[in-house]
PDB file of all heavy atoms in Angstrom:
ATOM      1  N   GLY A 258      15.478 -10.850 -25.712  1.00  0.00           N
ATOM      2  CA  GLY A 258      16.868 -10.374 -25.509  1.00  0.00           C
ATOM      3  C   GLY A 258      17.199  -9.298 -26.508  1.00  0.00           C
ATOM      4  O   GLY A 258      16.837  -9.350 -27.673  1.00  0.00           O
ATOM      5  N   LEU A 259      17.867  -8.295 -25.962  1.00  0.00           N
ATOM      6  CA  LEU A 259      18.284  -7.080 -26.886  1.00  0.00           C
ATOM      7  C   LEU A 259      19.618  -7.406 -27.497  1.00  0.00           C
ATOM      8  O   LEU A 259      20.646  -7.349 -26.826  1.00  0.00           O
ATOM      9  CB  LEU A 259      18.338  -5.797 -26.049  1.00  0.00           C
ATOM     10  CG  LEU A 259      18.535  -4.541 -26.725  1.00  0.00           C
ATOM     11  CD1 LEU A 259      17.365  -4.274 -27.769  1.00  0.00           C
ATOM     12  CD2 LEU A 259      18.562  -3.351 -25.759  1.00  0.00           C
ATOM     13  N   THR A 260      19.597  -7.717 -28.774  1.00  0.00           N
ATOM     14  CA  THR A 260      20.716  -8.043 -29.567  1.00  0.00           C
ATOM     15  C   THR A 260      21.076  -6.933 -30.550  1.00  0.00           C
ATOM     16  O   THR A 260      20.225  -6.122 -30.799  1.00  0.00           O
ATOM     17  CB  THR A 260      20.506  -9.341 -30.358  1.00  0.00           C
ATOM     18  OG1 THR A 260      19.414  -9.090 -31.211  1.00  0.00           O
ATOM     19  CG2 THR A 260      20.187 -10.572 -29.411  1.00  0.00           C
ATOM     20  N   GLU A 261      22.301  -6.997 -31.127  1.00  0.00           N
ATOM     21  CA  GLU A 261      22.628  -5.949 -32.150  1.00  0.00           C
ATOM     22  C   GLU A 261      21.670  -5.992 -33.295  1.00  0.00           C
ATOM     23  O   GLU A 261      21.203  -4.923 -33.800  1.00  0.00           O
ATOM     24  CB  GLU A 261      24.069  -6.271 -32.599  1.00  0.00           C
ATOM     25  CG  GLU A 261      25.173  -5.900 -31.608  1.00  0.00           C
ATOM     26  CD  GLU A 261      26.550  -6.166 -32.220  1.00  0.00           C
ATOM     27  OE1 GLU A 261      26.750  -7.385 -32.628  1.00  0.00           O
ATOM     28  OE2 GLU A 261      27.376  -5.280 -32.211  1.00  0.00           O
ATOM     29  N   GLU A 262      21.278  -7.155 -33.748  1.00  0.00           N
ATOM     30  CA  GLU A 262      20.442  -7.224 -34.830  1.00  0.00           C
ATOM     31  C   GLU A 262      19.041  -6.621 -34.576  1.00  0.00           C
ATOM     32  O   GLU A 262      18.472  -5.862 -35.353  1.00  0.00           O
ATOM     33  CB  GLU A 262      20.258  -8.795 -35.166  1.00  0.00           C
ATOM     34  CG  GLU A 262      19.395  -9.026 -36.468  1.00  0.00           C
ATOM     35  CD  GLU A 262      19.202 -10.536 -36.588  1.00  0.00           C
ATOM     36  OE1 GLU A 262      19.667 -11.318 -35.808  1.00  0.00           O
ATOM     37  OE2 GLU A 262      18.473 -10.901 -37.645  1.00  0.00           O
ATOM     38  N   ARG A 263      18.500  -6.898 -33.352  1.00  0.00           N
ATOM     39  CA  ARG A 263      17.229  -6.286 -33.098  1.00  0.00           C
ATOM     40  C   ARG A 263      17.374  -4.856 -32.851  1.00  0.00           C
ATOM     41  O   ARG A 263      16.427  -4.045 -33.123  1.00  0.00           O
ATOM     42  CB  ARG A 263      16.638  -7.031 -31.750  1.00  0.00           C
ATOM     43  CG  ARG A 263      16.177  -8.393 -31.993  1.00  0.00           C
ATOM     44  CD  ARG A 263      15.893  -9.154 -30.844  1.00  0.00           C
ATOM     45  NE  ARG A 263      15.160 -10.397 -31.099  1.00  0.00           N
ATOM     46  CZ  ARG A 263      15.102 -11.423 -30.323  1.00  0.00           C
ATOM     47  NH1 ARG A 263      15.656 -11.327 -29.081  1.00  0.00           N
ATOM     48  NH2 ARG A 263      14.407 -12.486 -30.613  1.00  0.00           N
ATOM     49  N   LEU A 264      18.502  -4.421 -32.354  1.00  0.00           N
ATOM     50  CA  LEU A 264      18.607  -2.975 -32.021  1.00  0.00           C
ATOM     51  C   LEU A 264      18.578  -2.118 -33.287  1.00  0.00           C
ATOM     52  O   LEU A 264      18.281  -0.964 -33.335  1.00  0.00           O
ATOM     53  CB  LEU A 264      19.944  -2.713 -31.236  1.00  0.00           C
ATOM     54  CG  LEU A 264      20.179  -1.236 -30.752  1.00  0.00           C
ATOM     55  CD1 LEU A 264      19.141  -0.778 -29.808  1.00  0.00           C
ATOM     56  CD2 LEU A 264      21.592  -1.179 -30.113  1.00  0.00           C
ATOM     57  N   GLU A 265      18.955  -2.748 -34.406  1.00  0.00           N
ATOM     58  CA  GLU A 265      18.825  -2.020 -35.732  1.00  0.00           C
ATOM     59  C   GLU A 265      17.450  -1.585 -36.051  1.00  0.00           C
ATOM     60  O   GLU A 265      17.260  -0.681 -36.930  1.00  0.00           O
ATOM     61  CB  GLU A 265      19.374  -2.989 -36.846  1.00  0.00           C
ATOM     62  CG  GLU A 265      20.953  -3.033 -36.797  1.00  0.00           C
ATOM     63  CD  GLU A 265      21.482  -4.065 -37.959  1.00  0.00           C
ATOM     64  OE1 GLU A 265      20.623  -4.434 -38.754  1.00  0.00           O
ATOM     65  OE2 GLU A 265      22.634  -4.377 -37.771  1.00  0.00           O
ATOM     66  N   LEU A 266      16.423  -2.079 -35.421  1.00  0.00           N
ATOM     67  CA  LEU A 266      15.056  -1.665 -35.662  1.00  0.00           C
ATOM     68  C   LEU A 266      14.866  -0.215 -35.068  1.00  0.00           C
ATOM     69  O   LEU A 266      13.950   0.528 -35.441  1.00  0.00           O
ATOM     70  CB  LEU A 266      14.189  -2.633 -35.041  1.00  0.00           C
ATOM     71  CG  LEU A 266      14.012  -4.045 -35.702  1.00  0.00           C
ATOM     72  CD1 LEU A 266      13.289  -5.024 -34.850  1.00  0.00           C
ATOM     73  CD2 LEU A 266      13.350  -3.897 -37.046  1.00  0.00           C
ATOM     74  N   ALA A 267      15.647   0.063 -33.996  1.00  0.00           N
ATOM     75  CA  ALA A 267      15.468   1.403 -33.349  1.00  0.00           C
ATOM     76  C   ALA A 267      16.141   2.413 -34.274  1.00  0.00           C
ATOM     77  O   ALA A 267      16.741   2.085 -35.294  1.00  0.00           O
ATOM     78  CB  ALA A 267      16.156   1.393 -32.012  1.00  0.00           C
ATOM     79  N   ARG A 268      16.025   3.738 -33.969  1.00  0.00           N
ATOM     80  CA  ARG A 268      16.691   4.697 -34.655  1.00  0.00           C
ATOM     81  C   ARG A 268      18.229   4.455 -34.700  1.00  0.00           C
ATOM     82  O   ARG A 268      18.719   3.975 -33.736  1.00  0.00           O
ATOM     83  CB  ARG A 268      16.364   6.081 -34.134  1.00  0.00           C
ATOM     84  CG  ARG A 268      14.906   6.508 -34.489  1.00  0.00           C
ATOM     85  CD  ARG A 268      14.622   7.863 -33.872  1.00  0.00           C
ATOM     86  NE  ARG A 268      15.499   8.913 -34.427  1.00  0.00           N
ATOM     87  CZ  ARG A 268      15.253   9.694 -35.443  1.00  0.00           C
ATOM     88  NH1 ARG A 268      14.037   9.594 -36.085  1.00  0.00           N
ATOM     89  NH2 ARG A 268      16.074  10.575 -35.880  1.00  0.00           N
ATOM     90  N   ARG A 269      18.922   4.893 -35.716  1.00  0.00           N
ATOM     91  CA  ARG A 269      20.373   4.666 -35.843  1.00  0.00           C
ATOM     92  C   ARG A 269      21.107   5.310 -34.683  1.00  0.00           C
ATOM     93  O   ARG A 269      22.165   4.783 -34.290  1.00  0.00           O
ATOM     94  CB  ARG A 269      20.854   5.256 -37.196  1.00  0.00           C
ATOM     95  CG  ARG A 269      20.500   4.387 -38.343  1.00  0.00           C
ATOM     96  CD  ARG A 269      20.939   5.099 -39.655  1.00  0.00           C
ATOM     97  NE  ARG A 269      22.390   5.155 -39.834  1.00  0.00           N
ATOM     98  CZ  ARG A 269      23.090   4.311 -40.343  1.00  0.00           C
ATOM     99  NH1 ARG A 269      22.548   3.126 -40.871  1.00  0.00           N
ATOM    100  NH2 ARG A 269      24.425   4.362 -40.422  1.00  0.00           N
ATOM    101  N   ASP A 270      20.602   6.408 -34.249  1.00  0.00           N
ATOM    102  CA  ASP A 270      21.261   7.068 -33.117  1.00  0.00           C
ATOM    103  C   ASP A 270      20.654   6.822 -31.727  1.00  0.00           C
ATOM    104  O   ASP A 270      20.803   7.598 -30.796  1.00  0.00           O
ATOM    105  CB  ASP A 270      21.305   8.588 -33.382  1.00  0.00           C
ATOM    106  CG  ASP A 270      19.890   9.159 -33.446  1.00  0.00           C
ATOM    107  OD1 ASP A 270      18.879   8.493 -33.459  1.00  0.00           O
ATOM    108  OD2 ASP A 270      19.757  10.402 -33.510  1.00  0.00           O
ATOM    109  N   ALA A 271      19.851   5.704 -31.675  1.00  0.00           N
ATOM    110  CA  ALA A 271      19.229   5.392 -30.359  1.00  0.00           C
ATOM    111  C   ALA A 271      20.228   5.103 -29.337  1.00  0.00           C
ATOM    112  O   ALA A 271      21.316   4.507 -29.704  1.00  0.00           O
ATOM    113  CB  ALA A 271      18.307   4.178 -30.624  1.00  0.00           C
ATOM    114  N   ILE A 272      19.964   5.440 -28.181  1.00  0.00           N
ATOM    115  CA  ILE A 272      20.883   5.133 -27.002  1.00  0.00           C
ATOM    116  C   ILE A 272      20.270   3.814 -26.286  1.00  0.00           C
ATOM    117  O   ILE A 272      18.975   3.691 -26.248  1.00  0.00           O
ATOM    118  CB  ILE A 272      21.077   6.280 -26.023  1.00  0.00           C
ATOM    119  CG1 ILE A 272      19.792   6.838 -25.434  1.00  0.00           C
ATOM    120  CG2 ILE A 272      21.848   7.360 -26.691  1.00  0.00           C
ATOM    121  CD1 ILE A 272      19.902   7.787 -24.377  1.00  0.00           C
ATOM    122  N   VAL A 273      21.058   3.129 -25.669  1.00  0.00           N
ATOM    123  CA  VAL A 273      20.691   1.895 -24.913  1.00  0.00           C
ATOM    124  C   VAL A 273      21.013   2.149 -23.452  1.00  0.00           C
ATOM    125  O   VAL A 273      22.168   2.481 -23.118  1.00  0.00           O
ATOM    126  CB  VAL A 273      21.393   0.634 -25.445  1.00  0.00           C
ATOM    127  CG1 VAL A 273      21.153  -0.553 -24.560  1.00  0.00           C
ATOM    128  CG2 VAL A 273      20.948   0.309 -26.877  1.00  0.00           C
ATOM    129  N   MET A 274      20.039   1.955 -22.671  1.00  0.00           N
ATOM    130  CA  MET A 274      20.128   2.133 -21.173  1.00  0.00           C
ATOM    131  C   MET A 274      19.847   0.783 -20.425  1.00  0.00           C
ATOM    132  O   MET A 274      19.135  -0.053 -20.966  1.00  0.00           O
ATOM    133  CB  MET A 274      19.234   3.227 -20.666  1.00  0.00           C
ATOM    134  CG  MET A 274      19.432   4.522 -21.489  1.00  0.00           C
ATOM    135  SD  MET A 274      18.175   5.797 -20.998  1.00  0.00           S
ATOM    136  CE  MET A 274      18.558   6.199 -19.301  1.00  0.00           C
ATOM    137  N   HIS A 275      20.373   0.754 -19.266  1.00  0.00           N
ATOM    138  CA  HIS A 275      20.029  -0.327 -18.393  1.00  0.00           C
ATOM    139  C   HIS A 275      20.341   0.167 -16.904  1.00  0.00           C
ATOM    140  O   HIS A 275      21.449   0.651 -16.688  1.00  0.00           O
ATOM    141  CB  HIS A 275      20.830  -1.633 -18.669  1.00  0.00           C
ATOM    142  CG  HIS A 275      20.292  -2.895 -18.076  1.00  0.00           C
ATOM    143  ND1 HIS A 275      20.174  -3.009 -16.641  1.00  0.00           N
ATOM    144  CD2 HIS A 275      19.930  -4.111 -18.524  1.00  0.00           C
ATOM    145  CE1 HIS A 275      19.705  -4.213 -16.367  1.00  0.00           C
ATOM    146  NE2 HIS A 275      19.512  -4.882 -17.481  1.00  0.00           N
ATOM    147  N   PRO A 276      19.420  -0.048 -15.910  1.00  0.00           N
ATOM    148  CA  PRO A 276      19.681   0.470 -14.611  1.00  0.00           C
ATOM    149  C   PRO A 276      20.690  -0.363 -13.870  1.00  0.00           C
ATOM    150  O   PRO A 276      21.242   0.136 -12.873  1.00  0.00           O
ATOM    151  CB  PRO A 276      18.334   0.394 -13.951  1.00  0.00           C
ATOM    152  CG  PRO A 276      17.635  -0.762 -14.675  1.00  0.00           C
ATOM    153  CD  PRO A 276      18.036  -0.681 -16.122  1.00  0.00           C
ATOM    154  N   GLY A 277      20.961  -1.581 -14.381  1.00  0.00           N
ATOM    155  CA  GLY A 277      21.810  -2.474 -13.597  1.00  0.00           C
ATOM    156  C   GLY A 277      20.989  -3.004 -12.387  1.00  0.00           C
ATOM    157  O   GLY A 277      20.076  -2.319 -11.961  1.00  0.00           O
ATOM    158  N   PRO A 278      21.370  -4.093 -11.801  1.00  0.00           N
ATOM    159  CA  PRO A 278      22.476  -5.065 -12.316  1.00  0.00           C
ATOM    160  C   PRO A 278      21.915  -5.734 -13.620  1.00  0.00           C
ATOM    161  O   PRO A 278      20.723  -6.022 -13.697  1.00  0.00           O
ATOM    162  CB  PRO A 278      22.617  -6.068 -11.160  1.00  0.00           C
ATOM    163  CG  PRO A 278      21.411  -5.991 -10.391  1.00  0.00           C
ATOM    164  CD  PRO A 278      20.856  -4.649 -10.518  1.00  0.00           C
ATOM    165  N   MET A 279      22.884  -6.019 -14.547  1.00  0.00           N
ATOM    166  CA  MET A 279      22.540  -6.689 -15.830  1.00  0.00           C
ATOM    167  C   MET A 279      22.580  -8.163 -15.688  1.00  0.00           C
ATOM    168  O   MET A 279      23.545  -8.648 -15.043  1.00  0.00           O
ATOM    169  CB  MET A 279      23.417  -6.238 -16.951  1.00  0.00           C
ATOM    170  CG  MET A 279      23.170  -4.852 -17.435  1.00  0.00           C
ATOM    171  SD  MET A 279      24.273  -4.505 -18.875  1.00  0.00           S
ATOM    172  CE  MET A 279      25.867  -3.998 -18.114  1.00  0.00           C
ATOM    173  N   ASN A 280      21.744  -8.854 -16.343  1.00  0.00           N
ATOM    174  CA  ASN A 280      21.940 -10.288 -16.581  1.00  0.00           C
ATOM    175  C   ASN A 280      22.216 -10.509 -18.006  1.00  0.00           C
ATOM    176  O   ASN A 280      21.280 -10.564 -18.892  1.00  0.00           O
ATOM    177  CB  ASN A 280      20.638 -11.055 -16.148  1.00  0.00           C
ATOM    178  CG  ASN A 280      20.366 -11.168 -14.693  1.00  0.00           C
ATOM    179  OD1 ASN A 280      19.340 -11.306 -14.141  1.00  0.00           O
ATOM    180  ND2 ASN A 280      21.514 -11.108 -13.841  1.00  0.00           N
ATOM    181  N   ARG A 281      23.544 -10.455 -18.367  1.00  0.00           N
ATOM    182  CA  ARG A 281      23.963 -10.541 -19.773  1.00  0.00           C
ATOM    183  C   ARG A 281      23.464 -11.914 -20.348  1.00  0.00           C
ATOM    184  O   ARG A 281      23.566 -12.931 -19.570  1.00  0.00           O
ATOM    185  CB  ARG A 281      25.474 -10.422 -19.868  1.00  0.00           C
ATOM    186  CG  ARG A 281      25.922  -9.061 -19.507  1.00  0.00           C
ATOM    187  CD  ARG A 281      27.447  -9.017 -19.306  1.00  0.00           C
ATOM    188  NE  ARG A 281      27.970  -7.734 -18.945  1.00  0.00           N
ATOM    189  CZ  ARG A 281      28.484  -6.850 -19.809  1.00  0.00           C
ATOM    190  NH1 ARG A 281      28.723  -7.169 -21.006  1.00  0.00           N
ATOM    191  NH2 ARG A 281      28.955  -5.636 -19.273  1.00  0.00           N
ATOM    192  N   GLY A 282      23.036 -11.876 -21.498  1.00  0.00           N
ATOM    193  CA  GLY A 282      22.584 -13.140 -22.133  1.00  0.00           C
ATOM    194  C   GLY A 282      21.141 -13.560 -21.715  1.00  0.00           C
ATOM    195  O   GLY A 282      20.640 -14.572 -22.131  1.00  0.00           O
ATOM    196  N   VAL A 283      20.489 -12.613 -20.953  1.00  0.00           N
ATOM    197  CA  VAL A 283      19.074 -12.865 -20.591  1.00  0.00           C
ATOM    198  C   VAL A 283      18.199 -11.671 -21.262  1.00  0.00           C
ATOM    199  O   VAL A 283      17.519 -11.840 -22.257  1.00  0.00           O
ATOM    200  CB  VAL A 283      18.868 -12.964 -19.101  1.00  0.00           C
ATOM    201  CG1 VAL A 283      17.357 -13.294 -18.870  1.00  0.00           C
ATOM    202  CG2 VAL A 283      19.682 -14.097 -18.523  1.00  0.00           C
ATOM    203  N   GLU A 284      18.371 -10.518 -20.638  1.00  0.00           N
ATOM    204  CA  GLU A 284      17.629  -9.362 -21.205  1.00  0.00           C
ATOM    205  C   GLU A 284      18.539  -8.546 -22.196  1.00  0.00           C
ATOM    206  O   GLU A 284      17.954  -7.733 -22.913  1.00  0.00           O
ATOM    207  CB  GLU A 284      17.054  -8.451 -20.145  1.00  0.00           C
ATOM    208  CG  GLU A 284      18.035  -7.555 -19.419  1.00  0.00           C
ATOM    209  CD  GLU A 284      18.665  -8.271 -18.133  1.00  0.00           C
ATOM    210  OE1 GLU A 284      18.434  -9.444 -18.082  1.00  0.00           O
ATOM    211  OE2 GLU A 284      19.326  -7.608 -17.392  1.00  0.00           O
ATOM    212  N   ILE A 285      19.837  -8.724 -22.159  1.00  0.00           N
ATOM    213  CA  ILE A 285      20.683  -7.951 -23.046  1.00  0.00           C
ATOM    214  C   ILE A 285      21.919  -8.740 -23.380  1.00  0.00           C
ATOM    215  O   ILE A 285      22.426  -9.437 -22.526  1.00  0.00           O
ATOM    216  CB  ILE A 285      21.066  -6.580 -22.382  1.00  0.00           C
ATOM    217  CG1 ILE A 285      21.672  -5.614 -23.299  1.00  0.00           C
ATOM    218  CG2 ILE A 285      21.911  -6.837 -21.172  1.00  0.00           C
ATOM    219  CD1 ILE A 285      21.806  -4.177 -22.766  1.00  0.00           C
ATOM    220  N   ASP A 286      22.353  -8.646 -24.643  1.00  0.00           N
ATOM    221  CA  ASP A 286      23.576  -9.234 -25.178  1.00  0.00           C
ATOM    222  C   ASP A 286      24.686  -8.354 -24.796  1.00  0.00           C
ATOM    223  O   ASP A 286      24.625  -7.156 -24.840  1.00  0.00           O
ATOM    224  CB  ASP A 286      23.382  -9.464 -26.687  1.00  0.00           C
ATOM    225  CG  ASP A 286      24.529 -10.319 -27.144  1.00  0.00           C
ATOM    226  OD1 ASP A 286      24.756 -11.403 -26.572  1.00  0.00           O
ATOM    227  OD2 ASP A 286      25.085  -9.983 -28.201  1.00  0.00           O
ATOM    228  N   SER A 287      25.867  -8.931 -24.534  1.00  0.00           N
ATOM    229  CA  SER A 287      27.095  -8.210 -24.198  1.00  0.00           C
ATOM    230  C   SER A 287      27.426  -7.241 -25.226  1.00  0.00           C
ATOM    231  O   SER A 287      27.938  -6.125 -25.063  1.00  0.00           O
ATOM    232  CB  SER A 287      28.190  -9.121 -23.850  1.00  0.00           C
ATOM    233  OG  SER A 287      28.139  -9.679 -22.555  1.00  0.00           O
ATOM    234  N   ALA A 288      27.329  -7.611 -26.531  1.00  0.00           N
ATOM    235  CA  ALA A 288      27.622  -6.800 -27.629  1.00  0.00           C
ATOM    236  C   ALA A 288      26.857  -5.462 -27.676  1.00  0.00           C
ATOM    237  O   ALA A 288      27.363  -4.459 -28.062  1.00  0.00           O
ATOM    238  CB  ALA A 288      27.438  -7.574 -28.968  1.00  0.00           C
TER     239      ALA A 288
END
Side-chain angles (χ1 to χ4, degrees):
L259 190 58
T260 60
E261 285 181 305
E262 187 184 358
R263 286 167 168 164
L264 186 58
E265 283 177 12
L266 293 165
R268 288 178 62 95
R269 287 173 66 87
D270 61 352
I272 57 170
V273 173
M274 304 174 70
H275 193 304
M279 284 186 278
N280 287 154
R281 293 170 183 256
V283 182
E284 73 272 10
I285 191 165
D286 191 46
S287 281

